[in-house]
């Protein structure tokens, strides 16, 4: 007897296939084809018999054994409902009509075939139920009855008038048989004639031979026009309400991504997801190979199924950007995460990911996110139906999984999950870091196969701004890594049931991180070009300061943290053009643990090819001794931390417009310090504390001890006034004496206007004092993406490189895109963008090299020189400029790197500002 655990998923998948719109359309077309009254159709009856016999058998099994993802309590063998039995009986009778029975029974057989229309209606039962619901509403039913009564009364009155005013010498051919006879004087003939006058103006009298008849015909025709107009309006209203009801039904997807809330970043997020969706094509693959065919079939399936995204918004109308051709296939549902039918309407129970975007239009966005998280977690826990007609609207297979008596354990981010089976990811965006502990508490009660990640996007934006402020030329690298173009940095977990990829038996890697990284690197160097990737780190499950499980990222083979729960890694981090490369690499590690790698002779030969490469030196970070920040919002604290850790002698001046905002900023710093000291915030290495001098300034106190470093002052000043920048408050001097100026956006409606005015003020001021401030750099942040784009174009046209402009809408969309695509991305980028672990660095050649070598040979050369892991190459472009190539050499040809054209290399290496105590305390 087959195991229930193996039968249940098969039946569940069978039920989804049978109820899909494609199968319904196929069977409906087959029924209509079988009813065509032509002799040649009979030749296909054996094929139709086989098709409908298979369909009947499957529906019979599904009626007796119900498997649903909505409510586990409705699963198992059971007697079908009366309605299902009636449809099965009609289906069986219609199936008999395809049998080769004696032709003398053909009239009976033809009547049986008409029953297929009933089966056809059964396929579209949801649509029929919606039509019944709309038509039987009290107001709608009354309108239909009133219209029918008016038609009946007009018809009767017209026929009665004709009957009473009839003249024999002016007879009219009412039945239109070509002659006036006795039948034309019959009352019911006139009744039918009067009804035809109402429903079709074309039946009006063509010749006025009888005055009374012409009058009645004109009267009935005009009344009919009004009634037809009323009927058209009624029909349009019915169609509109049916369309609205269709938006309340689940989309019928499985393994899809649900994005909750429409924000300013939603459009950009969807565009990135769709571009990544189009990116998954079989490129750089050997034609007609096994992997080529596998990718081709997968992409064909994706093309036919369409994008698997469901967007849930509070507006009943579909947003305008979702009406565009490239986003039109994305499903939209109206509702809120706190609605009772939300989980049913968006198919949450069978989704792979749920992304909760912060509702920036709400008074308390984080409170709404936490409430929505609770609703989803409890909905997955309690699969109870919200409406008997809709069936189960919440729930998942939690109870069934519990009955299997499988072991559960707390894993990354403090959430329960089963060690086997398919689960789902919940990604919640939090704006204010103070609310992160409450969000974790809301999600920590989630049971079943649920894994949650909290993304503090504003903190990631702060680390991004700190990174571009201290690293020259890093913009193109981050632009490729954070968007769907080119390569991304992927995390590959070996055994997480919530992810679409999980190994039954994880690859066996050495316990020592450096040895594990060495094995991954050696295996990656031996990959063919179409499978090439660059391993840069390992993933471990650790325990944080509160004893809660956490995700640890070890970049470059550093020592494992003391809180690691397992001696072996749970995954790896790699740079690759798509996750398919990472998955294939993981499968090769599992199936071929002893695969051939480069021998010592091959490595020696590779080193010889790179022997003519120039010497490389690390490009120093840009100076950060004096930094001016115009504007304050909560994540400014994270920005100050990153700047001070990168430059311990940094003097940061924060300029706010009013005294009230200054007091609010100081209060926020105090709250942040208390939360860090009580270890309620993850990822911070210290906090801002008041200086003993009592000058209302702060310095940075490392959490692990040590002397205070840096200085932060918050002063009141008008950032839009040129006089303010000439003499900054507190005797801070002229703006030209600073190394870096940040212009930050805020939540105010005039944020972009004030920021643009501040930027133009600085532009006008510095254009007259260019020699005075040759090293001053400006990093401006705006909310509006279009404004930021226009300002970038302006400075590019002017040839001004000191000004960098970014949009928070775009950055938020990019980081959310990474959170959807890459589980745990914040842990990886929180280290790569910051100065407290391994980070991106640029190494420059001391001269021109000679010859050509492969990317792998150059990576060996760079690693031997102690520069870290090579991830990208900048090559001189003909005509000026440079091209960035990540993960390999230039495309096309043999892929070899011309050492004479190398302008610079991008590596992942230990940040020079890192302190030994902070080395393992990364975000």
């Amino acid at each position: 007897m087959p195991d229930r655990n193996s039968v249940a998923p098969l039946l569940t998948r069978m039920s989804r296939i049978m109820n899909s719109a494609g199968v319904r359309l196929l069977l409906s077309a087959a029924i209509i084809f079988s009813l065509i009254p032509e002799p040649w159709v009979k030749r296909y009856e054996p094929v139709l018999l086989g098709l409908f016999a298979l369909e009947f058998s499957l529906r019979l099994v599904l009626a007796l054994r119900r498997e649903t993802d909505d409510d586990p309590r409705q699963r198992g063998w059971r007697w079908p409902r009366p309605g299902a039995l009636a449809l099965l009986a009609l289906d069986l009778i219609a199936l008999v009509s395809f049998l080769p029975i004696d032709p003398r029974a053909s009239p009976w057989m033809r009547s049986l075939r008409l029953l297929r229309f009933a089966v056809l209606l059964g396929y579209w039962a949801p649509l029929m139920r919606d039509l019944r619901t709309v038509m039987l509403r009290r107001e709608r039913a009354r309108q239909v009855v009133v219209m029918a009564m008016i038609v009946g009364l007009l018809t009767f009155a017209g026929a009665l008038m004709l009957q009473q005013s009839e003249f024999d010498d002016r007879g009219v051919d009412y039945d239109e048989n070509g002659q006036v006879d006795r039948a034309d004087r019959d009352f019911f003939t006139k009744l039918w004639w009067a009804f035809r006058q109402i429903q079709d103006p074309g039946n009006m009298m063509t010749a006025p031979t009888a005055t009374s008849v012409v009058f009645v015909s004109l009267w009935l025709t005009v009344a009919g026009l009004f009634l037809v107009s009323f009927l058209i309006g009624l029909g349009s209203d019915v169609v509109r309400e049916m369309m609205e009801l269709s938006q309340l039904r689940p989309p019928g997807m499985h393994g899809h991504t649900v994005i909750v809330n429409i924000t300013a970043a939603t459009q950009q997020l969807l565009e990135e997801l769709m571009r990544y969706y189009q990116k998954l094509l079989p490129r750089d693959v050997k034609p007609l190979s096994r992997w080529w065919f596998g990718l081709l079939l997968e992409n064909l399936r994706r093309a036919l199924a369409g994008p698997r995204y469901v967007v849930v918004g509070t507006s009943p109308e579909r947003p305008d950007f979702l009406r565009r051709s490239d986003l039109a296939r994305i499903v939209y549902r109206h509702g809120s995460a706190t609605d009772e039918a939300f989980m049913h309407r968006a198919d949450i129970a069978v989704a792979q990911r749920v992304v909760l975007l912060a509702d920036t239009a709400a008074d308390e966005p984080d409170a709404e996110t936490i409430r929505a998280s609770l609703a989803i977690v409890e909905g997955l826990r309690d699969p109870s139906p919200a409406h008997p007609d809709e069936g189960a609207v919440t729930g998942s297979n939690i109870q069934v999984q519990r009955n299997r008596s499988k072991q559960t354990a707390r894993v990354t981010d403090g959430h329960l999950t089963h060690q086997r089976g398919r689960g789902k990811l919940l990604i919640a965006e939090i704006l204010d870091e103070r609310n992160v502990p409450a969000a974790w508490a809301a999600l920590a009660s989630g049971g079943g196969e649920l894994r949650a990640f909290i993304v503090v996007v504003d903190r990631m934006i702060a680390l991004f701004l700190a990174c571009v402020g201290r690293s020259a030329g890093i913009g193109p690298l981050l632009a490729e890594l954070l968007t769907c173009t080119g390569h991304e940095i992927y995390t590959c977990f070996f055994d997480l049931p919530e992810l679409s990829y999980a190994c039954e038996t994880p690859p066996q890697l050495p316990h020592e991180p450096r040895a594990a990284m060495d094995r991954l690197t050696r295996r990656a160097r031996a990959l063919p070009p179409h499978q090439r990737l660059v391993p840069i780190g390992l993933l471990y499950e650790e325990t944080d300061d509160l004893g809660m499980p956490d995700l640890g990222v070890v970049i470059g083979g550093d020592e494992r943290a003391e809180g690691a729960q397992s001696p072996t890694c749970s995954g790896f981090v790699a740079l690759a053009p798509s996750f398919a490369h990472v998955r294939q690499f993981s499968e090769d590690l599992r199936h071929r643990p002893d695969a051939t790698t480069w021998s010592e002779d091959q490595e020696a030969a590779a080193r010889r090819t790179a022997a003519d490469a120039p010497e490389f030196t690390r490009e120093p970070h840009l100076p950060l001794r004096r930094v001016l920040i115009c504007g304050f919002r909560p994540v400014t604290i994270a920005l100050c931390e990153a700047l001070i850790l990168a430059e311990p002698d940094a003097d940061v001046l924060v300029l706010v417009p009013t005294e009230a905002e200054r007091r609010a900023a100081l209060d926020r710093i105090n709250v942040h310090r208390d939360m860090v000291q009580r270890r309620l915030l993850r990822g911070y290495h210290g906090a801002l504390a008041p200086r003993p001098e009592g000058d209302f300034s702060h310095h940075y106190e490392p959490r692990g001890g040590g002397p205070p470093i840096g200085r932060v002052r918050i002063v009141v000043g008008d950032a839009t006034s040129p006089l303010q920048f000439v003499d900054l408050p507190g005797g801070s001097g002229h703006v030209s004496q600073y190394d870096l100026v940040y212009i930050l956006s805020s939540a105010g409606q005039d944020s972009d206007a004030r920021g643009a005015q501040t930027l133009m003020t600085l532009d006008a001021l510095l254009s007259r004092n260019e020699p005075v401030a040759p090293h001053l750099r400006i990093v401006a942040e705006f909310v509006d993406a279009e404004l930021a784009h226009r300002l970038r174009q302006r400075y590019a046209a002017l040839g001004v490189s000191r000004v960098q402009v970014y949009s928070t809408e775009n950055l938020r969309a990019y980081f959310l895109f990474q959170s959807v695509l890459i589980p745990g991305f914040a842990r990886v980028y929180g280290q790569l963008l910051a100065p407290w672990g391994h980070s991106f660095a640029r190494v420059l050649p001391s001269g021109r090299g000679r010859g050509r070598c492969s990317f792998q040979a150059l990576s060996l050369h760079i690693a031997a020189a102690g520069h870290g892991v090579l991830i990208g190459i900048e090559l001189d472009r003909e005509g000026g400029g440079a091209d960035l190539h990540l993960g390999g050499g230039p495309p096309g040809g043999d892929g070899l790197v011309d050492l004479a054209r190398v302008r610079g290399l991008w590596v992942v290496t230990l940040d020079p500002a890192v302190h030994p105590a902070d080395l393992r305390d990364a975000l």
Side-chain angles (χ1 to χ4, degrees):
M1 183 177 181
D3 183 16
R4 184 194 183 282
N5 292 341
S6 61
V7 173
L10 178 62
L11 293 177
T12 302
R13 185 174 181 83
M14 185 189 305
S15 177
R16 288 198 304 267
I17 293 175
M18 294 300 296
N19 292 324
S20 64
V23 172
R24 291 180 181 182
L25 287 173
L26 174 63
L27 295 175
S28 302
I31 289 177
I32 295 174
F33 175 77
S34 68
L35 292 172
I36 297 177
E38 294 292 338
W40 55 270
V41 177
K42 294 184 178 180
R43 297 197 300 266
Y44 297 95
E45 286 191 348
V47 178
L48 297 173
L49 175 62
L51 175 64
F52 287 107
L54 176 62
E55 181 263 346
F56 177 78
S57 302
L58 294 178
R59 290 199 180 275
L60 179 62
V61 173
L62 293 175
L64 296 175
R65 174 63 181 270
R66 185 172 183 181
E67 291 291 339
T68 174
D69 291 297
D70 291 334
D71 193 347
R73 296 172 297 187
Q74 298 184 9
R75 297 178 176 179
W77 297 102
R78 59 171 56 193
W79 191 253
R81 293 187 294 266
L85 277 177
L87 287 177
L88 285 172
L90 292 175
D91 204 350
L92 178 61
I93 295 174
L95 181 63
V96 174
S97 65
F98 290 101
L99 297 176
I101 302 177
D102 185 78
R104 289 174 295 181
S106 59
W108 176 70
M109 296 303 299
R110 284 196 297 269
S111 62
L112 286 183
R113 291 184 181 182
L114 294 177
L115 292 177
R116 299 178 199 167
F117 276 115
V119 180
L120 179 63
L121 294 178
Y123 291 153
W124 304 100
L127 184 61
M128 296 298 105
R129 283 197 297 267
D130 287 350
L131 182 60
R132 182 193 63 184
T133 301
V134 172
M135 294 302 298
L136 293 184
R137 287 180 182 173
R138 184 178 181 86
E139 297 82 3
R140 184 68 33 68
R142 181 178 298 176
Q143 293 172 353
V144 173
V145 170
V146 168
M147 188 183 69
M149 291 177 60
I150 292 175
V151 171
L153 289 175
L154 288 174
T155 303
F156 181 78
L160 187 63
M161 183 178 296
L162 293 174
Q163 187 73 16
Q164 297 296 329
S165 62
E166 180 181 3
F167 295 94
D168 293 338
D169 57 343
R170 294 185 181 181
V172 178
D173 185 13
Y174 292 107
D175 56 6
E176 297 183 355
N177 60 354
Q179 57 183 355
V180 179
D181 52 16
R182 185 179 181 86
D184 293 318
R185 293 193 294 271
D186 186 72
F187 176 75
F188 289 101
T189 301
K190 295 183 178 64
L191 190 68
W192 178 247
W193 180 87
F195 175 75
R196 293 176 63 235
Q197 297 294 310
I198 294 176
Q199 58 90 26
D200 186 3
N203 294 325
M204 187 176 177
M205 289 286 296
T206 57
T209 57
T211 304
S212 58
V213 178
V214 171
F215 173 75
V216 171
S217 176
L218 180 62
W219 169 48
L220 293 177
T221 300
V222 173
L225 290 175
F226 282 104
L227 289 174
V228 168
S229 301
F230 176 78
L231 182 61
I232 291 174
L234 183 62
S236 301
D237 196 31
V238 169
V239 172
R240 179 185 58 80
E241 290 196 26
M242 289 188 63
M243 294 297 294
E244 292 177 354
L245 283 178
S246 67
Q247 295 295 318
L248 304 180
R249 289 199 303 267
M253 291 185 176
H254 183 268
H256 56 287
T257 298
V258 181
I259 300 174
V260 184
N261 290 327
I262 302 293
T263 66
T266 305
Q267 178 179 350
Q268 184 70 31
L269 170 61
L270 291 173
E271 290 174 352
E272 290 295 322
L273 289 172
M274 292 300 294
R275 280 195 286 264
Y276 181 80
Y277 176 86
Q278 297 294 332
K279 172 183 172 181
L280 301 177
L281 297 174
R283 295 173 295 188
D284 299 330
V285 180
K286 183 179 179 180
L288 304 181
S289 63
R290 179 175 61 87
W291 200 34
W292 186 88
F293 278 110
L295 284 176
L296 185 63
L297 292 176
E298 176 67 15
N299 292 323
L300 180 61
R301 183 192 67 81
R302 290 174 178 269
L304 294 176
R308 307 185 67 80
Y309 301 111
V310 177
V311 178
V312 180
T314 56
S315 173
E317 297 294 330
R318 187 180 179 93
D320 291 338
F321 65 85
L322 287 180
R323 303 179 189 273
R324 289 169 26 191
S325 58
D326 55 336
L327 302 178
R329 298 185 67 184
I330 294 177
V331 178
Y332 178 77
R333 288 293 181 266
H334 164 233
S336 172
T338 57
D339 292 344
E340 191 176 10
F342 161 73
M343 299 190 69
H344 171 70
R345 196 173 298 169
D347 272 337
I348 298 292
V350 292
Q352 181 182 352
R353 301 182 191 89
V354 180
V355 183
L356 283 175
L357 302 183
D359 186 4
T360 53
D363 294 333
E364 296 290 341
D366 289 345
E368 295 296 329
T369 301
I370 293 173
R371 185 172 69 162
S373 302
L374 279 172
I376 293 176
V377 168
E378 296 305 319
L380 294 175
R381 182 196 303 277
D382 179 24
S384 56
H387 193 281
D389 293 336
E390 293 180 348
V393 299
T394 59
S396 67
N397 53 0
I398 299 171
Q399 198 65 37
V400 174
Q401 295 287 347
R402 288 176 179 173
N403 293 337
R404 296 176 186 174
S405 301
K406 291 195 172 184
Q407 183 182 4
T408 61
R410 280 194 178 272
V411 294
T412 301
D413 301 324
H415 294 278
L416 290 172
T417 181
H418 293 281
Q419 293 184 350
R420 290 291 182 266
R422 179 69 174 271
K424 54 181 58 65
L425 291 175
L426 177 59
I427 303 166
E429 179 191 8
I430 295 295
L431 300 180
D432 193 337
E433 288 184 296
R434 293 181 301 178
N435 300 320
V436 171
W440 283 126
L443 295 169
S445 61
E449 297 173 1
L450 176 66
R451 174 101 175 213
F453 290 95
I454 291 179
V455 182
V456 187
V457 177
D458 276 358
R459 175 168 169 78
M460 299 305 300
I461 293 177
L463 297 181
F464 175 89
L465 295 177
C467 183
V468 299
R470 72 190 189 105
S471 300
I474 200 172
L477 173 68
L478 296 180
E480 178 167 347
L481 291 177
L482 295 178
T483 61
C484 64
T485 58
H487 288 62
E488 290 85 25
I489 294 179
Y490 293 92
T491 57
C492 178
F493 294 88
F494 294 142
D495 190 18
L496 283 187
E498 303 83 10
L499 304 181
S500 59
Y501 170 73
C503 301
E504 292 293 334
T505 55
Q508 298 300 317
L509 295 176
H511 292 184
E512 205 275 325
R514 193 170 299 278
M517 275 298 301
D518 183 66
R519 176 176 295 185
L520 292 176
T521 303
R522 288 177 177 273
R523 287 291 297 268
R525 289 194 184 118
L527 291 174
H530 65 272
Q531 298 181 15
R532 190 162 296 158
L533 52 77
V534 180
I536 62 175
L538 303 172
L539 301 173
Y540 287 89
E541 298 211 3
E542 303 176 350
T543 303
D544 64 7
D545 297 332
L546 299 177
M548 298 290 290
D550 199 1
L551 174 64
V553 179
V554 175
I555 302 295
D558 287 335
E559 292 298 324
R560 192 170 57 252
E562 297 179 358
Q565 297 177 350
S566 173
T568 58
C569 65
S570 58
F572 63 91
V573 183
L575 174 75
S578 71
F579 186 73
H581 294 71
V582 180
R583 178 174 52 202
Q584 181 68 27
F585 182 68
S586 177
E587 287 297 299
D588 287 342
L589 288 173
R590 184 164 67 94
H591 292 295
R592 299 189 300 157
D594 300 324
T596 303
T597 59
W598 276 9
S599 63
E600 293 182 1
D601 293 339
Q602 288 176 312
E603 288 192 5
R607 287 192 178 97
R608 284 194 297 270
T609 61
D612 292 331
E615 293 295 326
F616 290 93
T617 57
R618 179 166 180 166
E619 183 180 32
H621 285 306
L622 299 172
L624 297 173
R625 289 300 183 97
R626 303 195 68 182
V627 179
L628 173 63
I629 300 178
C630 301
F632 182 92
R633 67 175 194 268
V635 293
T636 306
I637 302 174
L639 175 61
C640 292
E641 180 193 38
L643 294 174
I644 292 175
L645 285 178
E647 176 53 71
D649 296 329
D651 185 0
V652 181
L653 181 68
V654 180
L655 195 64
V656 295
T658 63
E659 180 63 27
E661 292 189 29
R662 178 178 177 274
R663 289 195 298 268
L666 294 175
D667 291 341
R668 189 55 187 263
I669 290 176
N670 294 333
V671 172
H672 180 271
R673 182 181 68 253
D674 293 340
M675 295 190 71
V676 171
Q677 292 175 350
R678 289 171 171 79
R679 301 185 184 276
L680 295 176
L681 292 180
R682 297 178 178 178
Y684 281 94
H685 305 263
L688 296 176
R691 290 166 56 92
E693 290 82 356
D695 56 356
F696 299 102
S697 63
H698 293 71
H699 57 204
Y700 185 81
E701 293 183 347
R703 192 172 62 181
I709 56 177
R711 184 173 72 155
V712 176
R713 292 176 294 161
I714 301 180
V715 297
V716 178
D718 185 7
T720 62
S721 171
L723 295 178
Q724 190 71 82
F725 289 113
V726 173
D727 184 14
L728 290 168
S732 301
H734 195 280
V735 67
S736 61
Q737 301 172 1
Y738 283 75
D739 300 312
L740 179 62
V741 176
Y742 284 102
I743 302 175
L744 301 184
S745 62
S746 63
Q749 294 182 354
D750 61 343
S751 172
D752 281 356
R754 290 182 59 86
Q757 186 176 357
T758 301
L759 181 60
M760 294 299 102
T761 300
L762 284 171
D763 197 359
L765 187 64
L766 295 176
S767 62
R768 299 180 181 180
N769 299 274
E770 186 74 25
V772 181
H775 303 296
L776 177 63
R777 308 175 311 280
I778 301 174
V779 178
E781 176 192 56
F782 296 94
V783 176
D784 186 13
E786 184 63 26
L787 174 61
H789 176 68
R790 291 178 179 177
L791 287 174
R792 281 195 298 269
Q793 288 183 324
R794 177 182 187 273
Y795 287 108
L798 295 175
V800 177
S801 60
R802 71 160 71 198
V803 179
Q804 301 181 68
V805 182
Y806 298 97
S807 165
T808 55
E809 288 183 8
N810 288 342
L811 292 177
R812 188 178 303 277
Y814 296 153
F815 284 120
L816 289 172
F817 163 71
Q818 293 290 323
S819 69
V820 174
L821 190 66
I822 304 169
F825 93 101
R827 311 297 285 179
V828 178
Y829 277 97
Q831 185 174 156
L832 295 177
L833 295 177
W836 45 69
H838 282 72
S839 60
F840 300 115
R842 190 184 187 193
V843 293
L844 302 177
S846 57
R848 291 289 182 179
R850 298 190 308 273
R852 304 167 70 196
C853 69
S854 65
F855 182 87
Q856 294 93 325
L858 188 57
S859 67
L860 272 173
H861 178 79
I862 292 299
H867 291 305
V869 180
L870 177 65
I871 62 171
I873 303 174
E874 289 182 355
L875 297 178
D876 285 331
R877 183 193 309 154
E878 295 182 4
D883 293 321
L884 176 63
H885 305 282
L886 295 183
D894 51 12
L896 296 179
V897 179
D898 186 356
L899 297 176
R901 295 176 53 204
V902 174
R903 174 179 290 190
L905 304 177
W906 284 100
V907 298
V908 173
T909 186
L910 188 65
D911 196 285
V914 80
H915 296 276
D918 296 330
L919 180 59
R920 292 290 305 124
D921 193 18
L923 177 68

